[in-house]
Amino acid sequence: MRKATAIIILALVGYYFLSVFLTVPFGEKRNNVGQYYLHNTVRETGAVNSVTAIVVSYRGFDTLGEVTVLFIASLGLGAILFDKKGKKRRLQHASLIVRVGAHMLYPLIVLLGAYVFVHGHLTPGGGFQGGAIIATGVLLMFISYRSFETSHKALTYIESIAGMTFVLTGLSGLIWGNSFLQNVLPLGEPGRLISAGIIPIIYIAIGFKVGAELTGLLDNMLKTIKSD
Amino acid sequence: MIYYITAILLILIGMYAVLTKKNIIKIVIGLSIVDSGVNLLLISIGYIKNGTAPIFSVKGLTPDKMVDPVPQALVLTAIVIGLGVTAVALSLVIRLYDHHKTLNIDKIRKLKW
Amino acid sequence: MIMIYVLAAIIIIAAIFSITQKDLILAVVGTSAISVILSIFYYLLQAPDVALTEAAIGIALSTIIFVIAIKKTERYEE
């Protein structure tokens, strides 16, 4: 009874949804705000990657909101899974091949993550991708070794300082410029590493913050598995 | 056109899992599938036939045949927020299991503390 | 052109497989397979930033969070 009702309702919803989307032609060029962003990105912001310029410079306030949402999610997870006894036992060692391989791959993964978020305005990439890659590298070490620990205090300091850097950069735009998060540094020549004003600074701060946050999230969830 | 149909089918399969299944972890898996479907739908709207990626990597590229960059910027945010929602939902599931010792939503509704 | 049809069929089959399995670990593997093929789709739609993000977040981090939650609760449905 429940399944039949669900299928009928979903068939109705799917039919109307599909009939709306079949009237939108696929792959046609439309004149919208994206055309303005494409034509004026290199001149106004100095960044070569158009998506980075939109995320950090034209719509930078939404990125501040997203960083806040990630912070609240990590905080909520730590508060819900809080255990007063706090037994910190982990699973056993992995086998020899996994241990040696993880030991050799871990610095390379962290280096790749740092490369991705430093060159965010020149190549595809940015703060969120780089932070996720760094968290994956730390996860590899968590799984392979029983005694790999990350210090709780260091993660807290990195996350707080990176978050404050983002907000202070925005406020410096308010003090020396016209609006919040405005570019107040010289733009430079597009295509070089040090260019595009405040965009590399913001993305480096976001990369550190997201990496520390996701590492803390994984540490919280892995902490209370008892070995049997 | 095949992209629209795939995205809408993903949304419908995810919603079916949320409506009908009785195990809480299946419901959270369905929620994650709905997230993936919606992101695919958003990006396939901004595609232009024979277009290229919106990055001016070489000096002489013209922005006439580039794909729309605004949906890509919005989906970047949406993917990260989808991960945040999944993480908080699973932590609630772990707490519910510690308290009620079962993962069936019918039994959890009947128990009263 | 034929490749896009094959990949779309694989996504739908993986989604249906993932919600009709009794072993929850197999369901999570199906969700991770959806993320892999979705990352290929984002590359074919000329969106390299989004493909990187989906590959980094959907394949590794989402799967490990599900596996930890399954380990702390029950593995088989009902």
Side-chain angles (χ1 to χ4, degrees), chain B residues 65-102:
Chain B
K65 293 198 75 57
M66 284 193 179
V67 182
D68 202 358
V70 176
Q72 299 181 17
L74 302 177
V75 167
L76 212 70
T77 303
I79 292 180
V80 176
I81 290 185
L83 170 78
V85 168
T86 306
V88 175
L90 282 174
S91 79
L92 282 174
V93 165
I94 294 176
R95 261 305 180 223
L96 267 179
Y97 181 76
D98 279 342
H99 196 260
H100 290 280
K101 302 284 182 293
T102 176

Side-chain angles (χ1 to χ4, degrees), chain A residues 45-61:
Chain A
T45 56
V48 162
N49 190 351
S50 191
V51 178
T52 296
I54 293 180
V55 163
V56 176
S57 173
Y58 285 113
R59 307 215 173 166
F61 205 55

Side-chain angles (χ1 to χ4, degrees), chain A residues 92-113:
Chain A
Q92 56 205 357
H93 269 307
S95 66
L96 182 68
I97 296 181
V98 177
R99 265 187 280 153
V100 170
H103 214 102
M104 284 202 270
L105 277 178
Y106 173 57
L108 296 176
I109 294 181
V110 173
L111 184 67
L112 173 70

Side-chain angles (χ1 to χ4, degrees), chain A residues 26-107:
Chain A
F26 179 65
E28 229 180 57
K29 187 171 164 142
R30 303 180 187 96
N31 275 329
N32 47 12
V33 71
Q35 298 296 317
Y36 173 81
Y37 285 150
L38 275 178
H39 281 95
N40 296 334
T41 290
V42 183
R43 191 171 44 91
E44 280 183 13
T45 56
V48 162
N49 190 351
S50 191
V51 178
T52 296
I54 293 180
V55 163
V56 176
S57 173
Y58 285 113
R59 307 215 173 166
F61 205 55
D62 297 340
T63 306
L64 185 62
E66 174 185 3
V67 164
T68 306
V69 166
L70 256 186
F71 174 65
I72 291 180
S74 160
L75 187 69
L77 193 134
I80 290 177
L81 290 178
F82 182 64
D83 191 8
K84 219 185 291 188
K85 294 175 288 208
K87 270 189 272 251
K88 206 169 165 62
R89 264 183 290 173
R90 267 215 222 113
L91 309 165
Q92 56 205 357
H93 269 307
S95 66
L96 182 68
I97 296 181
V98 177
R99 265 187 280 153
V100 170
H103 214 102
M104 284 202 270
L105 277 178
Y106 173 57

Side-chain angles (χ1 to χ4, degrees), chain A residues 16-211:
Chain A
Y16 281 116
F17 216 172
L18 203 61
S19 76
V20 163
F21 270 98
L22 285 180
T23 67
V24 176
F26 179 65
E28 229 180 57
K29 187 171 164 142
R30 303 180 187 96
N31 275 329
N32 47 12
V33 71
Q35 298 296 317
Y36 173 81
Y37 285 150
L38 275 178
H39 281 95
N40 296 334
T41 290
V42 183
R43 191 171 44 91
E44 280 183 13
T45 56
V48 162
N49 190 351
S50 191
V51 178
T52 296
I54 293 180
V55 163
V56 176
S57 173
Y58 285 113
R59 307 215 173 166
F61 205 55
D62 297 340
T63 306
L64 185 62
E66 174 185 3
V67 164
T68 306
V69 166
L70 256 186
F71 174 65
I72 291 180
S74 160
L75 187 69
L77 193 134
I80 290 177
L81 290 178
F82 182 64
D83 191 8
K84 219 185 291 188
K85 294 175 288 208
K87 270 189 272 251
K88 206 169 165 62
R89 264 183 290 173
R90 267 215 222 113
L91 309 165
Q92 56 205 357
H93 269 307
S95 66
L96 182 68
I97 296 181
V98 177
R99 265 187 280 153
V100 170
H103 214 102
M104 284 202 270
L105 277 178
Y106 173 57
L108 296 176
I109 294 181
V110 173
L111 184 67
L112 173 70
Y115 170 82
V116 163
F117 72 66
V118 165
H119 292 251
H121 52 291
L122 301 172
T123 58
F128 298 103
Q129 290 90 324
I133 291 177
I134 290 181
T136 308
V138 176
L139 171 69
L140 181 65
M141 287 300 274
F142 273 152
I143 289 182
S144 321
Y145 283 92
R146 186 180 179 155
S147 56
F148 184 75
E149 310 247 339
T150 50
S151 108
H152 200 69
K153 245 189 195 177
L155 286 177
T156 317
Y157 273 131
I158 291 179
E159 190 173 339
S160 318
I161 293 181
M164 279 197 301
T165 305
F166 190 176
V167 177
L168 287 176
T169 313
L171 282 178
S172 80
L174 194 59
I175 297 178
W176 283 295
N178 286 332
S179 57
F180 190 68
L181 280 177
Q182 193 188 6
N183 237 333
V184 292
L185 294 178
L187 285 181
E189 181 187 325
R192 302 187 65 99
L193 181 57
I194 304 188
S195 66
I198 61 172
I199 291 182
I201 299 178
I202 291 183
Y203 251 166
I204 290 177
I206 288 180
F208 272 118
K209 185 174 171 69
V210 171

